[in-house]
Amino acid sequence: MRSRVTLRQAQGPPGMTVNMTIIDGKAISAALKAEVKAKVEEIAASGSRVPHLVVVRVGEDPASVVYVRNKAKACDVCGIKNTTIILPEETPEEELLAKVRQLNADDSVDGILVQLPLPRHISEAKVIENIAREKDVDGFHPLNVAGLWQKTPHMSPCTPKGIMKLLEAIGVNPKGKRAVVIGRSNIVGLPVAKMLLDANATVTMCHTRTVNLPEVTRQAEILVVAAGHPHTVTADMVSPGVVVIDVGMDRDPETGALCGDVDFGPVAEKASAITPVPGGVGPMTIACLMENTVECFLNRHNN
Ligand code: GUN
């Protein structure tokens, strides 16, 4: 599950080697999907119908097209029934809300995901709060967000949950560690900071406009970067041995190549572990979505 890579030399004197782990999100997510698949098979063997996820995409945003396709593929791998609804870009807000309410009322649907971003004329907040809380596989509904912050039962958001699972899979316990999170979005930065805090890390929440950001990031033993900008973290901004989780999915402005928020090569030379982009956090988000779908199914059928 872990790719151990011995670098020629990192921080030590000439001749010294440093072990560095490239965190294999694909392998870790494959193991999680296998667990989900086994659970779905158990549900089917009990005579019940299998969990059903509905994903709604509005418009043709190229990234969303890929993400939604990958979600359907993951459902197929796990044996989860899945339906993708594609609506035109110009769909009125009220029409999308009516679709969401129809899915809420449909007893054969266990999970509802409306892919973000939505076209500008549609309020994302309004859509999210109209998804039934018990079908909110994203964990974005205000009551699920409140549950995370108040430590009451809730659906956990997929990317932060996936990050915590990656750390666990490589044997990194946040307890007692200094964690720094760059980024303050509702989807990643805020919830992952809370989860690290609940795991007994000491957490610093910051952002790209933080004064003296390198001074802050050099304190990190665990560094989560969810800024959405390439080159947010350069090698001079990290201390030797840091565990780096790169949530970015960017395009390098010079080469156009897919990249994360972290300068992978130079930072990897100092890190003890780092996620690649792609193949790190991304696959975990989808695997956690599969897990959440089964959790929604079980909550609805056992309560
Ligand atoms: N767009 C990018 N990531 C996500 C996600 O996790 N959920 C939804 N609904 N939209 C997204």
Side-chain angles (χ1 to χ4, degrees), residues 64 67 71 113-117 138 140 158-159 187 285:
S64 294
Y67 288 139
K71 286 168 187 176
L113 182 149
V114 178
Q115 187 68 24
L116 306 178
D138 265 325
F140 292 169
C158 301
T159 300
I187 294 183
T285 299

Side-chain angles (χ1 to χ4, degrees), residues 19 24 45 72 107 140 151 154 171 173 214 229 262 278 284 297-298:
N19 279 331
D24 190 344
D107 204 40
F140 292 169
K151 294 198 201 174
H154 62 277
N173 182 352
H229 301 289
V262 174
M284 290 305 292
F297 171 91
L298 293 174

